[in-house]
Amino acid sequence: DVSRCSIISLDEEGDLVVRASNDLPSDREIKIDIANYPEIRRALTTQRPVILQEIHNHPLMAPVHEKIKDLADNSLIVVPIIKKQNVIGTFFLRTASSLNVGISNRVFKICQVVANLAGGALENAILFEVMQSSRKLLEDLATRDSLTGLFNHQQFHTRFEEEFSRAQRYGQSLSCIFADIDDFKRINDRYGHVTGDMVLRKIGRLLPTMFRKSDFPARYGGEEFAVFLPNTNGPGADEFGDRLRTMISELNISQLNG
C-alpha cells in the first residue's frame, strides 16, 4: 500500500531535490521546500530514521496539518542516507497501511537496505558531477577568455585552421570580422580600468546574442574581437560587421550595470 517512494538528496545550496520517485519521470528532478516536510528535516538533523505510524495526529506533523489532511496515508518512514558521517540525502516512504500494521520491522529493514544502496548511487552521482564540473572548468580555463567568457586568442587560431580547411575542402564561403573599440584607452583613463573591464564584459555578453550558433566569436586581444562566419560571403559579412559596429557604438557607459 505504498503511495510515495522517493530518493531525496541535498544540492550544493542545501535545497532538497527529489532525484527519483515512483510518481516522477526518470529523466526529471524537482526541488521541494523542506518547510513542508518536517519529517525529512528531523531525519537530516538527527541523522536517525524517522517513523510515524499515525501522521495526521503526530505532533511532528502539526505545522503541516492543513497540507496533509486530505492524504489517505497513515504512516511514513524517512531513512537518512549517510556517507562518511555526512547526510547526503534520505529514502522516503509513505504508506496507506492501516494503523495496526503501519511501518513493520520488516519494512524498516528493507528501507535501510534500499537507503544504503541509494547512498552508493548518490555518492557516485555526486562524484561524477564534480568530475564533470572540474573538466568543464579546466576546458574553459584553457579555451576561454576569463574576462569576457568568449573564446581566447589561442582557441581562435585553432578554430581558424579548422574552419579554413573545411571551407577549402567543400568549396564553402568563410568570412571573418575583426573589430576593435576606438579610443578605448580614453575609457580607461577617464573612467578607470574597472569600467573598461565592464565594457569588455558587456560586449562579451552581447556578441553571442548577435550571431548564429555556427558563428565563432572570440576576444582576439585587448579591446579587439573577432568572429568567424562559416558559409557567409562578403556582402553577408558586411551586414554582420555593420550590426557589430552599431552595437558597440551605441553602448552607454552609464548603463553597463544593467
Side-chain angles (χ1 to χ4, degrees):
D1 299 322
V2 173
S3 64
R4 173 68 58 82
C5 179
S6 305
I7 302 293
I8 301 166
S9 73
L10 293 163
D11 64 11
E12 294 179 353
E13 286 76 37
D15 296 322
L16 292 180
V17 180
V18 180
R19 301 293 185 185
S21 180
N22 64 293
D23 57 356
L24 192 66
S26 59
D27 60 345
R28 189 180 169 205
E29 298 177 349
I30 59 172
K31 284 189 177 184
I32 59 175
D33 186 355
I34 195 172
N36 294 327
Y37 295 87
E39 67 277 26
I40 296 179
R41 184 199 296 273
R42 174 169 291 186
L44 293 173
T45 303
T46 64
Q47 298 190 10
R48 298 176 62 84
V50 173
I51 300 175
L52 306 182
Q53 301 287 22
E54 191 176 349
I55 64 176
H56 295 282
N57 297 320
H58 198 284
L60 179 64
M61 306 302 286
V64 294
H65 177 72
E66 287 299 313
K67 296 180 180 179
I68 66 171
K69 64 180 181 180
D70 295 326
L71 286 179
D73 307 294
N74 294 317
S75 54
L76 63 80
I77 179 171
V78 184
V79 181
I81 299 173
I82 301 174
K83 282 292 179 180
K84 298 174 183 176
Q85 299 183 335
N86 293 316
V87 179
I88 63 173
T90 67
F91 174 71
F92 177 86
L93 188 76
R94 196 164 61 203
T95 173
S97 300
S98 57
L99 291 177
N100 61 340
V101 178
I103 304 297
S104 65
N105 188 55
R106 177 175 175 273
V107 171
F108 173 62
K109 289 181 178 179
I110 291 174
C111 290
Q112 285 185 309
V113 171
V114 175
N116 289 335
L117 293 172
L122 274 181
E123 187 176 40
N124 289 338
I126 292 170
L127 290 174
F128 178 78
E129 289 177 356
V130 169
M131 289 177 64
Q132 290 292 92
S133 298
S134 298
R135 181 181 301 174
K136 178 67 166 55
L137 176 61
L138 290 174
E139 288 176 354
D140 284 348
L141 289 174
T143 62
R144 291 189 178 272
D145 171 58
S146 60
L147 181 63
T148 64
L150 298 174
F151 290 102
N152 58 27
H153 184 277
Q154 182 178 354
Q155 189 67 11
F156 169 84
H157 282 283
T158 300
R159 187 64 176 265
F160 176 83
E161 294 178 3
E162 295 173 354
E163 293 295 340
F164 192 79
S165 297
R166 185 179 293 112
Q168 278 190 319
R169 180 181 306 168
Y170 297 107
Q172 297 173 340
S173 299
L174 173 65
S175 296
C176 183
I177 296 175
F178 285 90
D180 129 333
I181 305 173
D182 291 341
D183 302 318
F184 185 70
K185 185 176 182 300
R186 288 172 55 192
I187 296 176
N188 284 330
D189 291 343
R190 180 174 179 181
Y191 299 101
H193 289 275
V194 172
T195 300
D197 288 347
M198 290 170 62
V199 172
L200 297 175
R201 275 196 295 268
K202 182 74 171 180
I203 294 174
R205 290 197 301 267
L206 289 175
L207 277 177
T209 67
M210 295 179 56
F211 296 96
R212 306 164 300 184
K213 288 185 178 180
S214 59
D215 300 331
F216 187 86
R219 183 184 180 193
Y220 193 73
E223 70 274 19
E224 297 175 310
F225 297 87
V227 184
F228 281 123
L229 304 169
N231 296 312
T232 304
N233 57 20
D238 286 340
E239 180 183 346
F240 275 108
D242 284 338
R243 287 173 55 197
L244 178 59
R245 179 189 56 78
T246 301
M247 182 274 289
I248 294 177
S249 66
E250 290 179 349
L251 274 182
N252 189 326
I253 300 293
S254 62
Q255 298 176 346
L256 287 175
N257 289 321

